């Protein structure tokens, strides 16, 4: 792929009803986006109403939610024209990385593009360069899905602009991304509170961060090791895999260490947890391939977790 020179964050407003609609029928009625030049940090804006194929009065619910009126759509361009204007504004797909807050925007783009017979190759190029930033943010920072407004508040920021205006939604998503990118320490501290400490910041202030972390990890490892067996039936082993995955998801972001605040000892402990989980997965796959009803864990599989348990016990 060509070198990425700009980020484009985009967002759709769609037809909606409090009586329910299929996603396919929720045509786009407004496209907003911001373009961020990586080198100059210049930001440009895009905002266009879209006339849907099923042009009829919007429901009161949709008007209230989106702030869009029937008059806004009557003289608007259809999706094909707006998308061409969008591509001209982007100025080059190959040099662009595309983002949105939720993959639903990419799904909406693909459905509307197909309905308006837009080249699948063009959409494929965008999809290859697309990132669902909400999914990344949930995995690396918040654990659960946050709204744009709530994610901003984690960094002490207020929403700028008109809510449910897709251009401002895109702009504020960019602000979250830049905060995540440029404030790794803040992002890691938020992550610790969300995944591990449950907003118990007082405990962090009173003790060394890595000491507190190791204490939490020690408790989880010892509890898990005490309930570990050598022999399982397949059903019970599935439960063991699930509980192991939860522990791994709780701590795995520590390995990224974007801020550099985590000690080598803490990182190595988490790596051993990951190693143990991967061994369990391999063991499960091998037994599944042979339709085994019973799983026997060998020494190689359980050694990483036992080492941690002995070391920290």
């Amino acid at each position: 792929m060509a070198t990425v020179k700009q980020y484009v964050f985009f967002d759709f407003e769609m037809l909606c009803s409090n009586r329910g609609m299929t996603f396919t029928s929720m045509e786009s009625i407004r496209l907003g986006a911001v373009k961020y030049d990586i080198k100059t940090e210049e930001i440009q804006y895009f905002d266009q109403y879209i006339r849907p194929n099923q042009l009829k009065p919007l429901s009161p619910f949709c008007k209230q939610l989106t702030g869009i009126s029937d008059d806004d759509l009557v003289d608007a361009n259809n999706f094909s024209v707006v998308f061409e204007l969008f591509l001209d504004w982007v100025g080059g797909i190959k040099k662009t990385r595309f983002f949105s807050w939720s993959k639903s925007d990419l799904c909406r783009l693909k459905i509307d593009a197909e309905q308006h017979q837009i080249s699948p190759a063009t959409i494929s190029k965008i999809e290859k360069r697309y990132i669902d930033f909400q999914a990344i943010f949930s995995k690396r920072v918040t654990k659960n899905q946050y709204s744009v407004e709530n994610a901003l508040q984690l960094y002490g920021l207020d929403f700028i602009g008109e809510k449910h205006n897709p251009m401002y939604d895109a702009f504020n998503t960019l602000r979250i991304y830049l905060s995540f990118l440029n404030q790794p320490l803040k992002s890691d501290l938020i992550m610790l509170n969300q995944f591990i400490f449950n907003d118990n910041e007082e405990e962090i202030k009173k003790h060394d961060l890595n000491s507190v972390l190791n204490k939490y990890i020690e408790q989880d490892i010892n509890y898990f090791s005490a309930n570990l067996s050598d022999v399982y039936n397949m059903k019970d082993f599935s439960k063991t895999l699930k509980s192991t995955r939860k522990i791994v998801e709780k701590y795995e972001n520590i390995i990224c260490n974007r801020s550099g605040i985590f000690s080598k000892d803490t990182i190595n402990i988490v790596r051993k947890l990951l190693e143990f989980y991967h061994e369990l997965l391999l063991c499960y796959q091998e037994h599944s391939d042979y339709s085994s009803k019973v799983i026997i864990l060998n020494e190689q599989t359980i050694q990483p977790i036992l080492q941690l348990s002995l070391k920290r016990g």
Side-chain angles (χ1 to χ4, degrees), residues 102-302:
S102 163
K103 201 171 184 177
S104 63
D105 294 290
L106 178 65
C107 293
R108 184 73 262 155
L109 171 62
K110 292 167 69 175
I111 291 172
D112 285 354
E114 182 179 1
Q115 290 178 346
H116 289 266
Q117 299 181 330
I118 291 169
S119 167
T122 299
I123 303 304
S124 178
K125 289 177 185 177
I126 292 175
E127 186 171 13
K128 288 177 181 178
R129 294 161 175 81
Y130 170 81
I131 292 174
D132 174 3
F133 182 52
Q134 185 188 51
I136 297 295
F137 196 73
S138 299
K139 181 177 178 59
R140 295 299 179 201
V141 182
T142 60
K143 187 164 77 171
N144 299 310
Q145 289 188 347
Y146 272 50
S147 66
V148 169
E149 186 175 5
N150 289 338
L152 285 167
Q153 290 174 0
L154 292 173
Y155 291 96
L157 302 173
D158 293 323
F159 190 96
I160 292 177
E162 178 186 354
K163 295 177 183 178
H164 292 293
N165 178 318
M167 185 187 74
Y168 284 115
D169 283 343
F171 173 65
N172 283 285
T173 303
L174 168 65
R175 294 174 68 214
I176 300 167
Y177 178 78
L178 294 177
S179 297
F180 169 75
L181 199 66
N182 298 326
Q183 299 182 52
L185 177 57
K186 179 69 173 176
S187 298
D188 276 347
L189 291 176
I190 294 170
M191 178 272 294
L192 289 174
N193 280 327
Q194 296 289 319
F195 280 82
I196 302 169
F197 298 139
N198 297 317
D199 294 321
N200 187 10
E201 297 184 32
E202 292 303 315
E203 186 167 7
I204 305 174
K205 293 176 182 177
K206 293 176 182 177
H207 303 88
D208 171 70
L209 174 63
N210 286 281
S211 296
V212 176
L213 265 177
N214 290 348
K215 176 184 174 184
Y216 274 76
I217 297 172
E218 176 184 336
Q219 291 173 347
D220 282 334
I221 289 174
N222 288 340
Y223 176 79
F224 184 84
S225 299
N227 293 279
L228 189 63
S229 175
D230 294 334
V231 182
Y232 292 89
N233 62 48
M234 291 296 282
K235 182 178 180 181
D236 289 339
F237 193 69
S238 296
K239 295 177 183 177
T240 299
L241 273 178
K242 184 177 181 181
S243 60
T244 309
R245 185 178 68 248
K246 285 184 177 180
I247 295 175
V248 168
E249 290 173 348
K250 184 176 179 180
Y251 296 109
E252 65 181 343
N253 285 320
I254 290 171
I255 295 176
C256 299
N257 200 21
R258 293 179 58 236
S259 63
I261 60 174
F262 305 119
S263 69
K264 289 183 179 179
D265 181 50
T266 303
I267 293 171
N268 286 334
I269 294 169
V270 178
R271 281 182 175 150
K272 282 195 175 292
L273 276 173
L274 277 169
E275 181 184 341
F276 172 66
Y277 179 55
H278 291 153
E279 288 291 340
L280 287 184
L281 288 174
L282 286 172
C283 186
Y284 180 76
Q285 187 60 55
E286 288 173 356
H287 285 74
S288 296
D289 290 343
Y290 288 96
S291 302
S292 301
K293 295 182 179 180
V294 175
I295 291 181
I296 300 175
L297 300 181
N298 58 39
E299 185 177 347
Q300 179 184 352
T301 301
I302 64 176

Side-chain angles (χ1 to χ4, degrees), residues 10-15 23-24 26-32 46 48-55 73-88 104-120 122-123 126:
F10 67 96
D11 183 72
F12 286 107
E13 289 297 325
M14 314 171 201
L15 292 175
F23 189 77
T24 301
M26 295 171 65
E27 292 183 73
S28 302
I29 52 177
R30 193 174 187 179
L31 170 59
F46 182 92
Q48 287 281 325
Y49 291 106
I50 303 169
R51 187 180 72 252
N53 287 331
Q54 44 179 319
L55 184 60
L73 304 181
V74 171
D75 295 322
N77 293 312
N78 66 20
F79 183 86
S80 298
V81 174
V82 171
F83 186 67
E84 281 299 318
L85 292 172
F86 175 71
L87 290 181
D88 289 342
S104 63
D105 294 290
L106 178 65
C107 293
R108 184 73 262 155
L109 171 62
K110 292 167 69 175
I111 291 172
D112 285 354
E114 182 179 1
Q115 290 178 346
H116 289 266
Q117 299 181 330
I118 291 169
S119 167
T122 299
I123 303 304
I126 292 175

